[in-house]
Amino acid sequence: MLSRMAVCARLCGAGQSRRCRRRQRHSQADQDSDSEMDMDDEEEEERIVGRSVSRSSSCHNSGPSGAAGLGSGDSASAGPPRPQSLLDLPPELLVEICSSLPGTALPNLALVCKKFRQILNTETIWRRRCTEEFGMSDDLRKMEIVGMSSRDLYVKRVNPQVKSGRFMKLLPDYEHMDYRDVYTHLLHPYRHILGLWQPDIGPYGGLLNVVVDGLFIIGWMYLPPHDPRVEDPMRRRPLFRIHLWEKNKATIECMYGHKGPHKGDIQTVKKDEFSTKCNQTDHHRMPGGRQEEFRTWLQEEWGRTLEDIFHEHMQELILMKFIYTSQYDNCLTYRRIYLPPCLPSDLLKPGLFKGTYGSHGLEIIMLSFHEAKAKATKLTGDPNVPAGQLTLEIDLNCPVRLPNLEHQRSMEELSRLVLGVHEEAQRGLQARDAPSEAAEAPSPQGAEDVEPGAAACSHTSEAQPFVLPLGVMTRNEEYPRTCKKCFYGTGLIAGHGFTSPERTPGLFVLFDDDRFGFIWLELKSFSLYSRLTDQLSHAQAPSMERFEAMLRNMQSWTS
C-alpha cells in the first residue's frame, strides 16, 4: 500500500529528503510533548516508503547533509523547490491519493503518522470509497432514498379497534453520521452478503438480490409477474434491511409481514451461505388469522382470489405452497448463486428468464451455455420438478428446420419431425459409447434424410413464420409469430415429490434475443420464456469452473 502511495507521489514530483524530515521533527519537538514517538513513526514510514528514492537521491548528494545537493545549481533558481516527501504534498493532493486506495488499506495508513491520520478523517475519501466499491449514491445530508417506496420509509401504526392510525417515520437521523461510519460499520462488514442468493424453501426455491440501496443494505426477494403475463417486469418484496440506526452500530430489521420493520438477525453459516432470523414473528400475523393471511398472500402471489381459480388441481397446488412457505416466517438459509458467464459464441446472451409452467404458474430459470449444449436450470420450482433441477437441455448440434405453416399446425407432423431428430441424437450417443460397433455400422442418416425438408443443418438467423400446433396448451396466446432458429432438446418431467423423473423430447424455439419457447411433446404444452432485465450487481461468476460447480451443487440441494 505504501509503495503504491510512493508511486503516486513520484508522479506528482515528490521525492524523499532526510534533511526536510529532520527539520520538521525538530520543530515539532518544541511544540509536542510526545514528539519522540512521532519521530519514530515517521522514521519507520520513511524507511518503508522512500527507501528506493532515498538511495537514488544519495547518489547525487555532494554535501555532508545528504539532501543539500538536490536543490543546488541552476535547478534551484528555476522555480520553487519541489516537494521532497509525501508529507510535503498539498493536503488536497494527499486526499486525492488516499481516495484512490482501497478502503481496507486506509486504517493501516492512518497508523503511519499524525498527518496521514488527519488526512484520513476527510469525508471526501470515504464517500468515494462508498461510491466506487459499493455503488452508494446518496448524500448523508439528504433524506432521498433511491429505490425506496413511501411504504418502506414510513409505516402506518393502525389501532385495530378504530381501523385508523398515524404514519411514523422509520428512518434514523443521519445528520451526525459520516461516510467513514457507513463504510466501517455497514458496507464493509456486510459486503459478503451482497449479490444473488437462492433461499432453501424446499422445492420452491427463489431468488434473493442483496444490494446497497440508498443508505441501506436490502435483501429483495424477486417474484415473477402474475401468471400468465410473462413479459411483465419482475416484482420485488423486501425481506430484510440493514442500516446504521446508531453512529457505530448496524441494525438488522425483518421486513416480512404487514406491520412494518421489526427486529431481525443475520448469521453467516459458512462461505457463500448465510441465514436470516426474525426475532418478532408476531409481526407476521394478521388480525383475521390464517384465512386473512392466505387471502392477502394469494392476492400478492397470483393477483386474484381463490374463487377466480376454477381448476381444482391448481387450487390444491396454491394452497399447498402457502402452507409450506409460510411456516418459515422469514427464517431462511441462503446459498450464493452466480450469473452465467457470457461468450461471443453463445446463441444468445445467457441470463435469467421467467417462464410459464402450466398450473404451477410462472417460474424463474437460468439459461447458460456449455460448448454444444444450452441448459436451463430452475431457480424457483414446484413439487413436481423442484428448484435447482435442469428443466431444459438443448442440443445446439441438432438444429431443426420448421415446415410450412400448414404443416406446423399438425401435432403429428411436429412430433414426427422432432422424434426423428431425437432418434438420430440417441444413435449418436450410442455410437459415442461404443466406438468399435459404430465403426462397423453404416453412418447415421442426417436429419434431412429422416424427414425431408424438416430437419436442418442451416444456421441462418433469418426470421421464419411460426405457429403452435393445434392441441398444444399454452398459458399465453400472445407468443411471437416468427422465430429465428429451432433446436432439438429435452425437458424434465416428474411426478409429485420429484418421483420418476424423465427427460422427454421437445422443440426449443428461439424468437429473439430476449424470448424463447419450448414445446413439450409428451405434455402437449408450450412454455414461453422472457428475459429478466433487472440490473444485478455483485453476481458475476469468477470462472466457468466455479459456475459449473454451483450448478452441480444446486441439483444436489433438491435431489
Side-chain angles (χ1 to χ4, degrees), residues 165-184:
R166 62 191 181 90
F167 283 93
M168 299 179 61
K169 187 165 65 175
L170 296 174
L171 293 178
D173 184 5
Y174 288 101
E175 292 183 359
H176 303 293
M177 295 185 184
D178 54 42
Y179 286 95
R180 184 170 188 167
D181 292 331
V182 174
Y183 186 97
T184 305

Side-chain angles (χ1 to χ4, degrees), residues 48 69 112 143 159 345 389 439 472 495:
I48 297 175
V112 173
M143 292 305 296
N159 185 338
S345 58
Q389 295 301 315
V472 173

Side-chain angles (χ1 to χ4, degrees), residues 20 82 86 271 277 301 324 386 424 440 481:
C20 295
R82 291 162 53 183
L86 285 174
K271 184 180 179 181
K277 180 181 179 182
E301 190 83 6
Y324 193 96
E424 288 297 320
E440 299 175 0
R481 293 306 193 267

